Amino acid sequence: GGSDIPAFGLSIGGTQPQSSRSPGGSAGTSTPEDGAEALSSCDEEASDDLEMAVGSDAAVGKPAGYVKLERQRSANVLRSGAGAGSPGYPVRGAIALGLGKLAGSCSSLAGPFTGAVPIVVLNFATCATYGLLMVEGTTIDPQLLVAMQLYSAGVSGVFLALKSGCRVTIASGDASVALYTNLWLRQAFHHPDCTDETREPTAIASVLVMTIMMGFVYLLVGHYRAADLVQYLPFPIIAGFLGMVGASIVRGGLVVALGQNLASIADLGSAAISVPYEFGAALGLVFVLLVLRRVRVPTNVLFMSTMAAALLLFYAPTTFLRIARSELRVRGFLFPISEPVGPLDIWWRLDMSRVTWSALVPASGEVFGTLTILTISLVLRVSAIDSAAQANLDPDREIRLTGLVNLAIGATGGVIGSHSPGLVALNREIGSDSPATGVMQAGLLGLLWVSAYPLTNVLPRFLLGGVLMSIGVVMLIEWIWVVPLVRMTTQSHMLVVAMTIFSCVYGMVPTIFGGILVAALLLVGRFSRLSVLKYHVSMSSHSSILRRSAPEAAYLRQQGERVHILGLEGYLFEGTTVKLVKYLQQAVVALEPQEPPTRGNADRVKLKRPARVAPAPDRDETEPAGAAGNDDPSAAGYEPEWAWLVPHRPDFLVLDFTHVQGLNETAAALLQKFARVCTSHSIRMVFAAIGPNDVTLLHAHGQGAAFRIFQNTRDA
C-alpha cells in the first residue's frame, strides 16, 4: 500500500532519501514510485555492505547460494522497518554479522579453554615440583628455576602443539631432565674454583649450556634417524618406563604436599607423622579424584570443580576463623613466601663477568650419562605418546623438532622442555582432538611467566600435590596393571612391576639399563625354545642325488647307517645352539652298541613282529624253526627287530646349513667345541651349504677340531 511507503522513506534526522526529493532540492511529496525506488536503493546498499562482510567466506569456498541467502536475509530485515531509512544501517548489519561470528568463535574456544585450565594447573605444579628438585643441595632461589621451567614449557608447548604429529601434544618438564639438571647445577655450584660471588651465575650458565648441548644432540639424533633404534626396545621396557614416570610423579606430588625430601620409605613415614593433616588432605583429594573418575565425570569438569571446591573448603574456614596465612605457612599448608621473578631476572643474575668457565661442564662420565639417558628418555616418551595416543608418530621428526625448540630455549634462558606423556594422557581424557588446547595452555603458562606472580603463595600444598599424585596413580594403575594384563605375558608383567619398584629405590637411570638387560635375557630365553633342527635322518633314507655306479650306490645303501644328516634352519645363536648341541650329544655321541635282549632284560626291549629276511641257500625254507636244534630266530629266516631298532653311533655327521640365515660368534664356538668332542669319539663332522661369513667364524674358533666344509649338500 502507498500509505506504508512514506513512513519507510522518512529519515530520523528530518531528511529524506535523495529519491524522494524534488529536482530543485526541496522536499517533495512521497509517491509509491518514489518509495519503491528508495527501497531498491537501500537494498542495494545493504547488499554491497553485506558482500564486503561475507566476502571472506565466499573467498574460502563458501557456495554462492550462501552469500545470496545472506543478502536476502538483510533485505528482509530492511523491509521489516527496524532502523530502516538510516544511512548507517548497512554498517550496523555488518557489525551484527561480525559479532555473531565472534560469538561463534568464542563458543568454539570455550571447550579448549576449559580443558586448558586443569592442564595449566598441573603443568604449573610440575614446573614447581621440578624447580624445587633442581635446586636441591644448593642455595639458589627455586622460584628462578620455576620461572625458567614456565618459560620453556610455554615456548615448547606452542611449537610442539602446532608442529608435532600428535594433535594433543603437551610440553612440560621431565623427571630425568630435573635429575640431571640438578646434577649439573650442584657440580657447578660446589666447584672448587667458584667463590660465593660466582656460584649462582656459574650454576645458571651451566644449566643453559646443558640445554643447548641437548638441543644439538636431539637435532643430530633426529637428522641421522637414530631414533629408530628405540623400535628395537621391547614393549615391556616402554611400559616399565611409563610406570616409572607415574611413580616419579607420585613421589613429586608427595614432596610438594609434605614439603620434605623423600629419599626413602622411612622419610615418608616421618613426614606423614610430622604433618599428618597435610598428608591426609592430599590423600583425601587423591581419593576423591579417583572416585569421581570411576563415576565417569568429564575430566575437565572433574579437575576444575574439584580444585575450586578444595580452595573453597580450605580458605572459607580459615577466613571465618581468622587464621593468618603466616600461620598456615608455619604449619605447612602453604608454600613459603616467594619473591616475584620477572622474565629478565635470569639475565640480571647471569653476570657473564662472574662466571667460572672451568666449572660449567661436569666430568666426562657424567656428560656421557646425561647425553645417553636424556636421549633415551625423550625417545621413550615419544614412543609412549605414540602408543597411548595411537598417533603414528615419526620419532626422528619429533626429536629433531624438540632439538630445534631447545636450541632456541637454551639461547634465551630456559631449561629443557619436551613431550609430557602424563599431560598428553590427561589431554586425551578431556576429549581434545586439536592443538587448540595445547596452544592455549602454553599461552596461559606464558602469561604466568610474564606476570611473575608466584601462584605458590596462594595455592595450598595439598592441592598441587594431590592433583599430581592422582595423575601418577592413574598412570601406575594403567601401566603396571591394566595394560600388562591385556598385552603382556606373566614374565613381562613382572618385569614392568619390578622396574617400577626398583626405580623408587635406585632411580630411573640404573633401572632403565637393568630393565633392558633383563628384557634381553628374557628374549634369549624365549628364542631358545625355538627348534633349529629341521630333520635328522641317515643316509639310508636320504641319499645324495649325485649319479654313481651300481656297486657304489649299493655300498652306500649298505653303509647308510654310518652317516647321519641333520638339516638346520633359522638363526643360530647362544640359546638355540646350546639346545642343538645337547641334542647332538644325546642322540649321536652318547650312542653305544647294545647287546641282544635276553630273558633277563626282554621286558625292557619291546620286540615287534620280526622282519622277514632271505633264507640261507643251504636250508629249506619250509623247514620249521628249531628243527636243527637252534633257538635263534634268524635260523628260521627271521632277524630280530632289535637289530633294526637299536641305533649305532655314526662315523660321519653332516650338518646341512641350506636353510640357516647365519650364526654368531657364540654359536660358532659351541659348534667347534662339539666338533672336538666328535673327533675324540672318531666321528668326522661335515658342514654343507654354509655361508662365507659363517665359514670365517668356524675357522676362527676351530683350533683342534677336524671338520670339512662343502659348498652344497650334494657334494657333502
Side-chain angles (χ1 to χ4, degrees), residues 154-164 401 405 408 439 442:
V155 174
S156 59
V158 172
F159 283 97
L160 292 180
L162 293 176
K163 299 296 183 181
S164 174
L401 177 62
V405 172
V439 173

Side-chain angles (χ1 to χ4, degrees), residues 134-194:
M134 289 176 183
V135 299
E136 184 180 351
T138 67
T139 58
I140 298 176
D141 182 12
Q143 197 62 34
L144 177 64
L145 272 298
V146 172
M148 296 173 67
Q149 283 266 100
L150 287 175
Y151 169 71
S152 62
V155 174
S156 59
V158 172
F159 283 97
L160 292 180
L162 293 176
K163 299 296 183 181
S164 174
C166 179
R167 295 171 59 84
V168 294
T169 297
I170 303 293
S172 182
D174 180 67
S176 58
V177 172
L179 290 174
Y180 276 95
T181 302
N182 175 252
L183 174 64
W184 283 56
L185 204 66
R186 284 189 292 105
Q187 292 284 348
F189 190 84
H190 297 291
H191 197 275
D193 297 340
C194 291

Side-chain angles (χ1 to χ4, degrees), residues 14-265:
T15 60
Q16 293 178 338
Q18 186 68 27
S19 59
S20 64
R21 292 179 180 270
S22 63
S26 60
T29 303
S30 298
T31 64
E33 291 78 13
D34 295 336
E37 184 179 356
L39 178 60
S40 176
S41 175
C42 202
D43 283 350
E44 290 176 0
E45 292 178 5
S47 178
D48 293 340
D49 286 282
L50 185 61
E51 183 177 355
M52 295 175 60
V54 301
S56 59
D57 292 334
V60 296
K62 294 292 182 67
Y66 172 81
V67 180
K68 183 177 180 180
L69 179 60
E70 295 296 333
R71 291 177 179 174
Q72 185 63 36
R73 288 177 179 174
S74 177
N76 292 337
V77 171
L78 289 174
R79 290 189 177 91
S80 67
S86 173
Y89 176 78
V91 178
R92 291 198 300 273
I95 293 175
L97 183 62
L99 291 176
K101 291 185 177 181
L102 180 60
S105 300
C106 294
S107 177
S108 63
L109 292 177
F113 180 78
T114 56
V117 171
I119 296 178
V120 168
V121 175
L122 293 178
N123 211 338
F124 175 79
T126 303
C127 294
T129 303
Y130 293 153
L132 295 172
L133 179 60
M134 289 176 183
V135 299
E136 184 180 351
T138 67
T139 58
I140 298 176
D141 182 12
Q143 197 62 34
L144 177 64
L145 272 298
V146 172
M148 296 173 67
Q149 283 266 100
L150 287 175
Y151 169 71
S152 62
V155 174
S156 59
V158 172
F159 283 97
L160 292 180
L162 293 176
K163 299 296 183 181
S164 174
C166 179
R167 295 171 59 84
V168 294
T169 297
I170 303 293
S172 182
D174 180 67
S176 58
V177 172
L179 290 174
Y180 276 95
T181 302
N182 175 252
L183 174 64
W184 283 56
L185 204 66
R186 284 189 292 105
Q187 292 284 348
F189 190 84
H190 297 291
H191 197 275
D193 297 340
C194 291
T195 61
D196 294 339
E197 296 181 354
T198 62
R199 294 188 189 280
E200 185 178 66
T202 303
I204 296 173
S206 178
V207 173
L208 298 181
V209 169
M210 172 186 166
T211 303
I212 295 174
M213 180 187 69
M214 291 309 305
F216 274 115
V217 172
Y218 292 157
L219 188 62
L220 292 176
V221 170
H223 177 73
Y224 289 104
R225 306 196 67 81
D228 290 338
L229 296 176
V230 77
Q231 298 181 13
Y232 295 98
L233 291 176
F235 182 73
I237 299 299
I238 298 177
F241 177 77
L242 289 173
M244 290 190 293
V245 172
S248 176
I249 293 175
V250 172
R251 178 184 177 276
L254 286 172
V255 171
V256 172
L258 303 180
Q260 301 182 26
N261 186 28
L262 303 176
S264 63
I265 301 297

Side-chain angles (χ1 to χ4, degrees), residues 506-705:
Y506 299 99
M508 297 180 65
V509 176
T511 303
I512 292 176
F513 285 108
I516 293 175
L517 177 60
V518 174
L521 294 177
L522 290 177
L523 185 65
V524 170
R526 290 176 182 175
F527 276 100
S528 299
R529 300 190 187 102
L530 299 177
S531 176
V532 294
L533 181 62
K534 191 173 184 179
Y535 60 86
H536 181 183
V537 297
S538 68
M539 200 170 63
S540 299
S541 58
H542 190 80
S543 59
S544 173
I545 62 173
L546 186 66
R547 290 181 177 273
R548 301 183 184 276
S549 62
E552 291 178 347
Y555 177 79
L556 291 177
R557 284 194 300 270
Q558 183 182 3
Q559 304 293 329
E561 295 298 325
R562 297 175 56 193
V563 181
H564 283 205
I565 306 170
L566 285 83
L568 307 179
E569 62 181 351
Y571 186 82
L572 303 182
F573 68 104
E574 296 84 358
T576 55
T577 309
V578 168
K579 185 177 179 181
L580 174 64
V581 169
K582 287 183 178 180
Y583 171 80
L584 292 175
Q585 290 176 346
Q586 296 175 0
V588 178
V589 177
L591 296 179
E592 295 289 347
Q594 299 185 24
E595 296 295 332
T598 62
R599 293 183 181 272
N601 63 359
D603 56 340
R604 288 179 290 175
V605 180
K606 198 172 184 180
L607 294 178
K608 298 182 180 179
R609 182 178 179 180
R612 183 77 174 179
V613 296
D618 56 347
R619 182 178 177 84
D620 185 6
E621 185 178 358
T622 60
E623 185 178 356
N630 189 1
D631 292 334
D632 187 0
S634 61
Y638 291 88
E639 185 173 350
E641 183 68 14
W642 58 262
W644 299 94
L645 294 179
V646 178
H648 297 278
R649 180 187 298 165
D651 295 327
F652 297 90
L653 186 63
V654 180
L655 298 183
D656 182 9
F657 278 70
T658 302
H659 300 284
V660 173
Q661 282 77 35
L663 55 89
N664 65 358
E665 293 81 1
T666 306
L670 291 173
L671 289 176
Q672 293 297 47
K673 180 179 179 180
F674 177 73
R676 288 190 286 271
V677 174
C678 290
T679 302
S680 63
H681 288 79
S682 301
I683 301 176
R684 299 191 60 181
M685 282 195 68
V686 178
F687 296 95
I690 189 170
N693 295 331
D694 301 334
V695 170
T696 303
L697 289 177
L698 288 176
H699 283 298
H701 294 272
Q703 291 84 2

Side-chain angles (χ1 to χ4, degrees), residues 315-335:
Y315 277 109
T318 56
T319 304
F320 179 76
L321 297 175
R322 297 181 180 181
I323 301 176
R325 292 189 180 181
S326 58
E327 184 178 353
L328 294 174
R329 289 189 174 89
V330 171
R331 299 181 63 176
F333 282 100
L334 294 178
F335 291 94

